[in-house]
Amino acid sequence: MSYFFLDGYENMETYNPGEQPHDRPYIKLNANESSYPPSPAVTEAISSVEINNMAYYEDPYNTKLRETIGAVYGFPKEQIFVGNGADEVIAFIMMSFFREGFAIASNDVTYDFYRTYAQTFHLDYKKIPVKEDFTTDVDAFVNCGCDVILANPNNPTGKAIPMSDVERIVAKDPKRLVIVDEAYVDFGGESCLPLVDKYPNIIVVQTYSKSRNMAGARIGFGIANKDIIDDMRNVKFCVSPFNLNSLSQAIGIAAIQDEKYYSDCIEKVIGSRRYFETELIRMGFSIVPTVTNFVLFKAAPLIPADLMTQKLKEHGILVRYFGFEPRMRDYVRVTIGKQAEMELVVRNMKEILEEFREEKAAAIERRAAS
Ligand SMILES: *Cc1c(COP(=O)(O)O)cnc(C)c1O
């Protein structure tokens, strides 16, 4: 730690992204990325003209990308903010509307980035426990008396809140800001975009990283009323006016217009999700029903969750274990990849289970013999 690091930062617990090891090829199902490539329109959009354009600063108003996203979702560009991933959009929301001491509530089991934002901006982060079945305690949010950030559908639980319930939280008090992070909405959630023109206090955030197969391009966007978007743009112009690089803007415009391509990919993911859920149940695991591109299942008592995660890694498959979160200790989260990948995961899981059963039986026998 340097002499200059701020007081209070010395024990900072940083966000822990899914590992990206390179010691061997892995099937990567630990960060909810898509196993499908971006739309072919993206390749076409990367022309030598676009490459040469990189010599110049891009349009800091991101006009064309905002117009295109707006057209897809039925909003004028004045209601669209674009950022370097949804994570940066949320960071600009924090910088614009939150300061030290402000309170913000979220689910206790959710995207860990909200906690690190709250830490960085010195907010009072209120964790509201999800219910036993991992659904959101909507009444607790309605009555929490502070601003709210919700992943909907939630990560890592895969559970969604109906729009009518989000509306109850938003409608309770127009002076409370409600941020709805819809990173997974395209896989089966209900979008809260219809609430944007009805209420002055909601921001919906979406991303290209999951359903549009472009996590590496870093494109996220927020949709809200014009005043909120103006505020965020002004803050952006004070911090990082050229936040989204020109190439990402060009491919972002091309990709979002190729609705057919990405809805086909989503359909394939949903099909493989159904297959994987069925196989998990057949193996004897209990699953948390999901409307996302990942499945959370309970590994225990069949096998410890950390052991299953570890063994899968040894078999070349990366999945996610959230050991730091007490309520997640028995669970494993698996991103839904291509069908062939999911079949391989199932085959490997069966092997791992079988091996574990045999070892356990042998240990019992040894104990009985001694
Ligand atoms: C993956 C994820 C994001 C990240 O979005 P980026 O656009 O890649 O920054 C945001 N929110 C949730 C809930 C996520 O799971």
Side-chain angles (χ1 to χ4, degrees):
M1 189 176 42
S2 76
Y3 170 78
F4 306 100
F5 208 34
L6 291 175
D7 289 343
Y9 278 2
E10 57 277 4
N11 297 317
M12 200 172 231
E13 284 178 54
T14 58
Y15 179 74
N16 179 13
E19 56 178 344
Q20 322 261 354
H22 295 290
D23 54 325
R24 58 176 280 190
Y26 285 99
I27 295 182
K28 197 167 178 307
L29 304 175
N30 66 339
N32 298 341
E33 296 140 314
S34 175
S35 290
Y36 295 98
S39 153
V42 164
T43 315
E44 284 164 33
I46 303 177
S47 61
S48 56
V49 174
E50 280 308 328
I51 306 271
N52 288 335
N53 266 345
M54 284 200 286
Y56 301 96
Y57 288 112
E58 89 284 8
D59 166 22
Y61 289 90
N62 319 109
T63 309
K64 271 196 203 142
L65 178 58
R66 287 164 57 223
E67 268 171 6
T68 313
I69 293 172
V72 168
Y73 289 95
F75 289 92
K77 69 173 189 307
E78 286 74 20
Q79 289 185 260
I80 315 283
F81 180 91
V82 294
N84 208 269
D87 293 339
E88 194 198 51
V89 175
I90 299 170
F92 279 121
I93 293 171
M94 294 289 157
M95 280 184 248
S96 307
F97 306 117
F98 292 83
R99 72 151 66 98
E100 180 162 359
F102 282 25
I104 190 165
S106 195
N107 283 309
D108 64 338
V109 179
T110 192
Y111 190 43
D112 194 44
F113 236 116
Y114 307 151
R115 179 194 60 77
T116 60
Y117 286 129
Q119 173 186 259
T120 309
F121 293 94
H122 306 286
L123 312 182
D124 172 15
Y125 187 55
K126 295 189 188 301
K127 289 182 176 187
I128 295 182
V130 292
K131 296 181 187 170
E132 205 57 43
D133 64 354
F134 294 137
T135 53
T136 294
D137 185 348
V138 175
D139 289 328
F141 280 97
V142 171
N143 298 314
C144 71
C146 64
D147 294 346
V148 166
I149 183 163
L150 289 168
N152 188 32
N154 197 8
N155 171 17
T157 64
K159 290 279 186 192
I161 314 165
M163 180 172 71
S164 55
D165 278 342
V166 175
E167 183 163 15
R168 285 206 288 134
I169 301 168
V170 176
K172 169 84 176 195
D173 177 3
K175 295 220 165 84
R176 130 210 287 198
L177 191 56
V178 178
I179 303 149
V180 186
D181 177 352
E182 297 189 345
Y184 301 98
V185 74
D186 295 332
F187 298 101
E190 186 186 6
S191 176
C192 289
L193 282 174
L195 301 181
V196 163
D197 281 343
K198 224 170 138 185
Y199 297 95
N201 58 322
I202 179 172
I203 309 175
V204 172
V205 179
Q206 293 196 11
T207 175
Y208 281 50
S209 295
K210 315 289 161 57
S211 59
R212 292 184 184 86
N213 317 348
M214 289 169 71
R218 311 303 305 130
I219 309 171
F221 53 94
I223 304 184
N225 71 60
K226 179 180 176 302
D227 292 343
I228 283 181
I229 299 302
D230 283 347
D231 296 342
M232 289 173 65
R233 190 192 52 249
N234 284 333
V235 169
K236 180 187 101 140
F237 270 71
C238 294
V239 179
S240 179
F242 303 104
N243 60 326
L244 197 51
N245 74 74
S246 55
L247 207 51
S248 282
Q249 292 193 63
I251 63 180
I253 290 164
I256 203 156
Q257 290 173 295
D258 196 354
E259 291 227 31
K260 164 116 182 57
Y261 176 78
Y262 88 79
S263 59
D264 283 353
C265 291
I266 289 168
E267 238 168 76
K268 284 188 227 169
V269 167
I270 292 173
S272 302
R273 179 176 82 195
R274 209 171 296 128
Y275 158 80
F276 187 57
E277 287 180 323
T278 309
E279 291 296 326
L280 285 170
I281 292 165
R282 271 199 200 137
M283 283 185 259
F285 295 111
S286 56
I287 63 163
V288 182
T290 178
V291 291
T292 63
N293 67 338
F294 58 84
V295 178
L296 187 72
F297 70 94
K298 196 172 183 198
L302 282 190
I303 184 169
D306 50 347
L307 183 67
M308 177 55 96
T309 307
Q310 170 63 28
K311 288 279 176 195
L312 279 169
K313 186 176 176 187
E314 287 165 20
H315 287 232
I317 297 164
L318 298 175
V319 299
R320 196 73 171 268
Y321 175 61
F322 297 93
F324 64 86
E325 169 59 60
R327 296 179 73 182
M328 287 288 109
R329 284 209 180 119
D330 290 338
Y331 290 85
V332 176
R333 191 193 72 187
V334 184
T335 305
I336 302 299
K338 291 181 175 165
Q339 179 64 22
E341 292 176 320
M342 301 324 291
E343 287 170 13
L344 200 70
V345 173
V346 167
R347 250 195 331 273
N348 281 280
M349 282 179 72
K350 283 180 180 163
E351 263 175 47
I352 291 164
L353 269 184
E354 189 54 34
E355 213 175 277
F356 181 69
R357 274 197 204 104
E358 279 167 15
E359 277 169 20
K360 224 164 89 177
I364 290 169
E365 238 170 73
R366 272 200 304 277
R367 214 173 307 142
S370 67

